[in-house]
């Protein structure tokens, strides 16, 4: 059984989430670049939402975390074996927050894009998508040609 690294500090012991650590480093580097170079370093790159990709006997299942996103803000495209989930979460303007001053903001806004290349042939006409409680669940059935078949042996 694999164990995760543990951060020890005083009496409080907590698990380290490597993904979150990299996101924090990326955010801090972005702040440093903005401070050093101003708007020259500001390149609008889409961020990648957290997602799980799994496979059942007859389909791929993709779950993408999109909290606070409506189905109108999401675009799902399937071309051959490549899945692309994209969209944009608009940034809240100063007038929209009721005159409050923002002290900290760590929620993701702007363009997002998740891409996955599926290893088997899929039936793009039968893909189903459902957005519930901020999680987009896509069920992508495999094509009949890609499904394993039992071969009968005679003789």
């Amino acid at each position: 059984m694999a164990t995760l690294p543990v951060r020890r500090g005083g009496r409080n012991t907590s698990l380290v989430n490597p993904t979150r650590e990299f996101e924090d480093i990326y955010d801090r580097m972005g702040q440093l670049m903005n401070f050093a170079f101003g708007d020259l370093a500001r390149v609008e790159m889409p961020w990648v939402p957290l997602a799980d990709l799994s496979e059942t006997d007859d389909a791929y299942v993709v779950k993408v975390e999109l909290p606070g996103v409506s189905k109108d803000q999401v675009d799902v495209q399937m071309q051959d074996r490549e899945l692309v989930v994209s969209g944009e979460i608009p940034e809240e303007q100063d007038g929209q927050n009721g005159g409050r001053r923002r002290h900290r903001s760590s929620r993701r806004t702007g363009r997002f894009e998740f891409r996955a290349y599926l290893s088997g042939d899929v039936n793009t006409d039968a893909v189903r998508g459902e957005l519930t409680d901020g999680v987009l669940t896509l069920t992508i059935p495999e094509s009949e040609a890609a499904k394993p078949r039992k071969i009968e042996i005679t003789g």
Side-chain angles (χ1 to χ4, degrees):
M1 180 168 125
T3 59
L4 291 175
V6 175
R7 179 179 290 161
R8 298 182 194 279
R11 290 191 241 173
N12 193 5
T13 302
S14 62
L15 288 176
V16 175
N17 181 346
T19 304
R20 186 68 201 145
E21 295 288 326
F22 281 117
E23 286 176 0
D24 289 342
I25 291 170
Y26 180 80
D27 290 342
R28 282 187 254 149
M29 286 298 294
Q31 291 170 0
L32 179 63
M33 294 294 282
N34 286 338
F35 177 74
F37 300 108
D39 285 339
L40 296 175
R42 197 172 202 152
V43 178
E44 291 298 321
M45 295 292 291
W47 54 273
V48 180
L50 299 176
D52 291 333
L53 172 62
S54 58
E55 186 177 1
T56 64
D57 289 338
D58 57 354
Y60 293 95
V61 178
V62 180
K63 292 187 177 193
V64 183
E65 289 187 11
L66 299 171
V69 175
S70 68
K71 66 179 183 177
D72 300 332
Q73 295 172 301
V74 180
D75 180 45
V76 178
Q77 293 186 12
M78 196 74 215
Q79 183 175 6
D80 294 327
R81 296 181 191 176
E82 185 179 29
L83 170 69
V84 180
V85 178
S86 61
E88 185 166 358
I89 301 173
E91 188 170 339
E92 193 174 86
Q93 300 299 318
D94 289 336
Q96 293 176 328
N97 60 8
R100 295 173 291 182
R101 286 177 288 176
R102 184 178 300 159
H103 290 276
R104 182 178 177 182
S105 179
S106 59
R107 296 174 63 201
R108 295 275 183 137
T109 58
R111 287 183 30 234
F112 62 86
E113 184 175 271
F114 170 78
R115 290 178 172 266
Y117 189 78
L118 307 175
S119 59
D121 290 330
V122 294
N123 182 356
T124 57
D125 296 328
V127 176
R128 293 187 325 268
E130 181 181 343
L131 183 62
T132 306
D133 296 331
V135 177
L136 173 65
T137 303
L138 299 167
T139 305
I140 307 164
E142 292 181 355
S143 68
E144 291 299 319
K147 291 182 184 176
R149 290 180 295 251
K150 181 169 173 93
I151 310 237
E152 198 69 33
I153 300 174
T154 60

